[in-house]
Amino acid sequence: MGRLPYYFPHQNQYIAALAASYGVLTIGMVFGWSAPAGPRILEDGEGNFDVADDQFSWTIAFMPIGGAIAAIPCGIMLRSEGRKNTILFFVLPLLLGKFFLNTLLFRPVNIRYPYSTGWVLLTWAQAVAMMYIGRLLQGFAAGAYSMSVPIYIGEIADQRIRGTVGSFFQLMLNLGMLMSFSISVGVNVFQLNIISGFVVLLFGPIFMLMPETPSCLLKRGYKTKAIETVKWLRGPKCDAYTEIEQLQMEQDALLNQPKKSLKKSLLTPETLSALLAMIGLVTFLQMSGINAVLFYATDIFMNASDSLNHEVATIIVGVMQVFGTLLAAFTVDRIGRRWLLMISAVIMCASHVVLGVYFQLLQNNPAQVENLEWLPVLALSVFVTVFSIGFGPVPWIMIGEVFAIDVKDLASSLATFTSYALSFMMTKTFNPLRNGLGEAGTFWLFAGFCLIGAIFVFLFVPETKGKTFEQIQKRLASSKVYYRAEK
């Protein structure tokens, strides 16, 4: 945590949030890997070995399995080791995952210097197992960062910019996917993995320079360091002592309460309301079909048209994701969380309906859509744009806002576990759904989930924009329905 000249309000909060979110950029490259790599491994034979469709489907699915497995241990680490150390620790499985995918699975193509022939001599079954292990390790980091980075950002950010800096999570995730989509156009799969691994290496040294969160420092008894951290984050003119004293009072109030078991803490009205909102949001996030669409984006475009430039279409989708997240950064602290979520869900529903209509027409009479090859690109671009404005960033922003400090780690673990477990389910069932319902039926199913998601937000998700923690907790404990205008 170095001394920096202070040029604009909230400068160091933006720096710390971006540094933490850089780790999410590396996760974005993990998410984006399968769309360009899949067709090359399955059809072009870029790997060392033959891979069947179902085996590659499992390769994709092992990443969310890792995310689900890591959720609960990460919650324990956040409590015992702190936010910063937990984030840094999970650089290790991410790098190990890259090692398995890079060095054990893919021989270099058009590389002038030789690699050990021992890798080539690995049997087909051993190689596939190593692929699974690599993606599982990457999933550990993905699950850990999905919960630890939003918590870190939520605890360092002033309430006036909490939504803006919270949207950095989704921005960097989308930017990482776009990097994978774009880089893959000019390199083979082996080289793409090497570049991705290099990007991971930069994260540790950058984030080591950032501070631990003030609330975490204060909880460990480092009051002086917490005051210094607030001064660094808020700027030289802030009243760091008053903020720390307020935070100390909140923590003391929790400590002075009658001892409650973790079960009783989770069953308080405000925590139950927060859990309902968060688990519902991550459920509809996944049931919107976002990960299935992104993991198989190139494959979807190949099914939509033979003449469409599939790689360029996938890049366009990635660009629109980043554009949508930039819009979210400017609007989430102005429009509010609930409105962004509902707008996002309704337009995602419409995009899926359009995609379903296109594929139905393509199946019935291909001549009807000869001049509509741009339609699936447009529909998917709109889908990922509005997802990146609402259901992409907002649930992760709210994870850092709605839970009390004594249950935040475990409650966030439960929400993250739910998200990655559902991501695994959607990833593994996408191809069977397409085979059973057809392309059109699958997208119409996703449309239905998006519509139900909009209704869920209307009924059960509170507004947190511009509110203090006490105001949010009071609202969660209230029996007043969320769709009534707040006074």
Side-chain angles (χ1 to χ4, degrees):
M1 188 174 73
R3 295 181 178 273
L4 296 174
Y6 214 80
Y7 294 111
F8 55 89
H10 315 300
Q11 167 192 296
N12 289 352
Q13 294 177 63
Y14 288 121
I15 291 172
L18 282 170
S21 299
Y22 180 87
V24 183
L25 180 143
T26 66
I27 298 303
M29 298 190 78
V30 171
F31 274 84
W33 174 82
S34 60
R40 295 185 178 192
I41 294 171
L42 294 173
E43 298 172 19
D44 300 340
E46 283 200 15
N48 255 358
F49 49 88
D50 294 328
V51 179
D53 287 347
D54 186 60
Q55 289 169 329
F56 192 76
S57 172
W58 272 107
T59 300
I60 297 172
F62 264 97
M63 195 276 290
I65 289 174
I69 292 171
I72 303 302
C74 179
I76 296 170
M77 285 189 66
L78 284 168
R79 184 183 290 265
S80 62
E81 304 302 324
R83 285 39 171 153
K84 179 179 176 179
N85 288 339
T86 300
I87 293 172
L88 287 172
F89 173 82
F90 279 94
V91 173
L92 182 61
L94 188 57
L95 279 171
L96 285 174
K98 291 293 183 186
F99 169 77
F100 275 114
L101 285 175
N102 294 352
T103 61
L104 296 179
L105 300 175
F106 300 104
R107 66 175 179 267
V109 181
N110 296 327
I111 300 289
R112 293 179 182 176
Y113 48 89
Y115 282 73
S116 169
T117 56
W119 300 332
V120 181
L121 295 176
L122 285 171
T123 65
W124 175 72
Q126 287 175 319
V128 171
M130 290 295 182
M131 180 177 274
Y132 294 163
I133 293 170
R135 290 289 286 181
L136 185 72
L137 289 170
Q138 291 175 341
F140 290 165
Y145 287 171
S146 292
M147 62 181 294
S148 58
V149 172
I151 289 175
Y152 178 86
I153 293 174
E155 292 183 359
I156 65 167
D158 186 281
Q159 68 186 57
R160 291 167 293 181
I161 63 164
R162 198 170 54 214
T164 299
V165 296
S167 66
F168 290 173
F169 176 94
Q170 191 69 28
L171 173 64
M172 298 300 267
L173 185 72
N174 291 344
L175 190 59
M177 285 189 272
L178 177 59
M179 286 175 63
S180 277
F181 297 160
S182 303
I183 292 169
S184 65
V185 174
V187 301
N188 57 55
V189 175
F190 180 85
Q191 293 162 339
L192 173 63
N193 293 340
I194 292 294
I195 294 168
S196 301
F198 178 75
V199 172
V200 175
L201 282 173
L202 296 175
F203 172 55
I206 291 172
F207 189 64
M208 287 176 78
L209 300 174
M210 297 300 109
E212 180 58 274
T213 68
S215 61
C216 192
L217 290 169
L218 196 58
K219 192 175 179 182
R220 294 178 163 208
Y222 301 129
K223 187 171 183 178
T224 302
K225 185 139 183 146
I227 292 171
E228 292 174 0
T229 299
V230 169
K231 286 180 178 178
W232 187 84
L233 288 167
R234 308 287 186 260
K237 295 182 181 180
C238 77
D239 188 354
Y241 296 96
T242 300
E243 183 171 338
I244 289 299
E245 286 302 323
Q246 178 64 33
L247 197 56
Q248 183 76 70
M249 287 173 58
E250 292 171 7
Q251 292 192 4
D252 289 344
L254 284 171
L255 289 172
N256 292 332
Q257 287 178 356
K259 286 287 184 182
K260 292 189 294 185
S261 66
L262 191 57
K263 180 180 178 180
K264 285 187 177 180
S265 296
L266 286 172
L267 293 178
T268 60
E270 54 270 29
T271 302
L272 284 175
S273 295
L275 270 175
L276 171 65
M278 289 311 308
I279 290 179
L281 285 178
V282 298
T283 296
F284 288 109
L285 180 159
Q286 296 297 343
M287 300 305 282
S288 72
I290 182 62
N291 282 336
V293 166
L294 291 175
F295 289 162
Y296 294 99
T298 304
D299 191 36
I300 291 170
F301 290 131
M302 290 172 69
N303 289 343
S305 171
D306 292 330
S307 60
L308 191 66
N309 189 318
H310 314 125
E311 291 181 331
V312 171
T314 305
I315 291 172
I316 291 172
V317 168
V319 170
M320 296 308 293
Q321 275 191 288
V322 174
F323 174 70
T325 316
L326 287 172
L327 282 180
F330 288 108
T331 57
V332 70
D333 280 324
R334 293 172 174 83
I335 295 177
R337 283 50 157 167
R338 276 167 53 82
W339 274 107
L340 284 179
L341 287 167
M342 286 188 286
I343 292 169
S344 172
V346 170
I347 300 179
M348 284 194 297
C349 174
S351 300
H352 278 315
V353 169
V354 170
L355 275 169
V357 170
Y358 175 87
F359 279 106
Q360 188 65 44
L361 292 173
L362 181 67
Q363 179 182 342
N364 293 341
N365 186 1
Q368 289 181 300
V369 293
E370 279 185 359
N371 298 319
L372 294 177
E373 292 177 344
W374 51 269
L375 189 59
V377 180
L378 175 64
L380 272 185
S381 295
V382 171
F383 170 78
V384 297
T385 300
V386 295
F387 174 86
S388 299
I389 292 173
F391 262 86
V394 172
W396 306 112
I397 292 171
M398 293 183 70
I399 273 185
E401 294 180 324
V402 297
F403 293 117
I405 193 168
D406 58 330
V407 297
K408 182 182 289 187
D409 303 328
L410 179 58
S412 300
S413 295
L414 292 174
T416 303
F417 173 84
T418 302
S419 178
Y420 277 89
L422 286 170
S423 176
F424 163 72
M425 183 192 77
M426 295 302 294
T427 302
K428 277 302 294 175
T429 59
F430 182 62
N431 278 332
L433 278 173
R434 288 197 298 181
N435 294 334
L437 300 177
E439 298 273 3
T442 302
F443 285 116
W444 287 334
L445 179 65
F446 290 156
F449 283 121
C450 291
L451 185 59
I452 297 171
I455 297 170
F456 176 85
V457 173
F458 182 69
L459 294 175
F460 299 111
V461 177
E463 181 57 73
T464 60
K465 175 180 77 78
K467 289 181 169 58
T468 64
F469 174 73
E470 293 82 1
Q471 291 171 326
I472 293 170
Q473 291 295 292
K474 189 178 293 185
R475 186 68 188 87
L476 286 166
S478 170
S479 60
K480 183 179 177 183
V481 290
Y482 294 128
Y483 54 83
R484 290 180 59 183
E486 296 191 20
K487 298 180 181 179

